[in-house]
């Protein structure tokens, strides 16, 4: 049985991943809020401030905390870029550094999250695009640095129905508009994203590292 740490496992994509894995793996979650779910060991902490818990054996690490801070450049303060960078990039680096030895020991797999906005220029996305481009660079670089030791891959989803995206999917009209924006006429269910994360954590992808995998419902890759 593998031990998988899902950071940000209490809500959204992370909760879907934890639920999907919990019956066949030892799943440990981290978030600021409580996560009282059967078969899951939870630690409540802030990834930017608190000490990570001691875990002796670790086969996989998923880092889910992120942000959607959509504003024009004129409304974005320098502090907004810093805040987005902290939660998307530096929190992930803190976690990877903390569990590096355990992940090397197990030849583990790390899954990080980017966004379609690093591949398609979209207005008001400058701050999140900066941070997620950094996540992609981090994964590519670490995949090389730890080749044969730890695998690093990134999932780059489009809009996904989670608490983070709730302001974009507030009512039926917004949801329909969002579906229509995508060539596949849908946005993402977190369960679909979780199934790709499960695959990347598994031994079925032992040869896959350093990849940025889009889940874009066609918005980047298809023009109708
Ligand atoms: N949803 C989308 O449309 C979408 C699109 C593209 C990319 N993404 C990316 O996909 C990833 C997952 O997104 P999501 O929509 O599932 O996000 P979400 O609904 O906001 O869930 C984020 C999780 O991270 C935890 N978290 C946040 N800040 C934390 C902190 N400082 N310390 C510890 N835990 C923290 C949250 O729990 P607590 O609040 O209890 O701490 C929660 O469990 C993110 O990197 C996001 O940028 C999402």
């Amino acid at each position: 049985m593998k031990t998988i740490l899902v950071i940000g496992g209490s809500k959204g994509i992370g909760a879907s991943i934890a639920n999907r894995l919990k019956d066949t793996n030892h799943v440990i979650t981290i978030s600021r809020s409580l996560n009282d779910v059967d078969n899951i060991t939870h630690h409540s902490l802030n990834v930017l401030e608190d000490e990570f818990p001691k875990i002796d054996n670790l086969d996989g690490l998923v880092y889910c905390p992120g942000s959607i801070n959509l504003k024009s450049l004129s409304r974005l303060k320098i502090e907004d870029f810093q805040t987005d960078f902290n939660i998307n990039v530096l929190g992930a680096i803190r976690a990877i550094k903390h569990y590096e030895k355990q992940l090397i020991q197990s030849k583990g797999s790390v899954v990080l999250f980017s966004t379609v906005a690093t591949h398609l220029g979209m207005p008001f996305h400058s701050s999140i695009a900066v941070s997620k481009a950094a996540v992609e660079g981090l994964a590519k670089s670490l995949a090389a640095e730890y080749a044969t030791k730890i695998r690093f891959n990134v999932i780059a989803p489009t809009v996904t129905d989670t608490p983070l995206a709730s302001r974009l999917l507030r009512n039926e009209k917004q949801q329909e508009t969002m579906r229509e924006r995508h060539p596949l006429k849908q946005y993402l269910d977190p369960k679909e994203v979780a199934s790709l994360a499960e695959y990347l954590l598994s031994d079925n992808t032992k040869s896959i590292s350093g990849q940025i995998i889009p889940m874009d419902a066609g918005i980047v890759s298809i023009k109708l």
Side-chain angles (χ1 to χ4, degrees):
M1 189 181 262
K2 287 181 189 285
T3 299
I4 308 290
L5 174 61
V6 185
I7 301 178
S10 63
K11 294 180 199 148
I13 293 169
S16 271
I17 295 169
N19 279 324
R20 198 178 173 90
L21 298 178
K22 73 184 171 67
D23 296 328
T24 44
N25 299 270
H26 175 212
V27 173
I28 304 170
T29 56
I30 284 176
S31 67
R32 290 164 301 182
S33 55
L34 276 174
N35 191 31
D36 193 9
V37 178
D38 282 352
N39 283 349
I40 290 178
T41 308
H42 180 72
H43 299 271
S44 292
L45 60 98
N46 183 335
V47 290
L48 297 179
E49 293 169 3
D50 299 323
E51 188 72 20
F52 286 97
K54 184 172 180 293
I55 301 173
D56 290 332
N57 302 304
L58 190 61
D59 301 283
L61 186 159
V62 188
Y63 184 85
C64 297
S67 51
I68 302 182
N69 186 13
L70 307 184
K71 286 185 193 162
S72 63
L73 185 66
S74 60
R75 290 187 55 222
L76 280 167
K77 301 193 182 93
I78 294 298
E79 296 77 42
D80 292 320
F81 284 89
Q82 187 66 59
T83 301
D84 283 342
F85 197 80
N86 286 345
I87 194 62
N88 286 281
V89 186
L90 297 183
I93 292 172
R94 277 193 90 209
I96 293 163
K97 282 177 75 67
H98 188 84
Y99 295 112
E100 178 204 18
K101 285 195 182 61
Q102 293 87 327
L103 288 163
I104 288 174
Q105 215 161 32
S106 65
K107 287 198 171 190
S109 169
V110 173
V111 177
L112 305 175
F113 284 92
S114 177
T115 164
V116 288
T118 54
H119 300 264
L120 178 71
M122 289 192 262
F124 314 127
H125 282 66
S126 59
S127 182
I128 191 59
V130 163
S131 286
K132 293 303 198 184
V135 169
E136 294 182 7
L138 175 72
K140 287 258 177 209
S141 176
L142 295 183
E145 193 169 322
Y146 291 89
T148 78
K149 298 189 180 101
I150 308 174
R151 297 187 293 111
F152 290 86
N153 291 292
V154 179
I155 300 175
T158 188
V159 173
T160 309
D161 188 4
T162 70
L164 185 66
S166 58
R167 276 194 303 151
L168 307 176
L169 302 170
R170 252 191 308 238
N171 50 48
E172 185 50 49
K173 186 164 181 293
Q174 274 190 329
Q175 294 164 13
E176 188 50 34
T177 306
M178 196 55 83
R179 280 187 209 102
E180 277 306 309
R181 281 184 68 193
H182 292 83
L184 271 55
K185 303 302 174 203
Q186 59 189 341
Y187 47 84
L188 297 176
D189 183 325
K191 291 193 187 116
E192 187 181 345
V193 185
S195 98
L196 179 56
E198 179 184 33
Y199 186 52
L200 292 171
L201 290 165
S202 77
D203 291 342
N204 294 319
T205 52
K206 274 185 178 166
S207 306
I208 299 181
S209 191
Q211 302 302 315
I212 316 299
I213 305 180
M215 293 189 86
D216 70 347
I219 200 167
V220 178
S221 32
I222 297 173
K223 172 124 179 71
L224 296 181

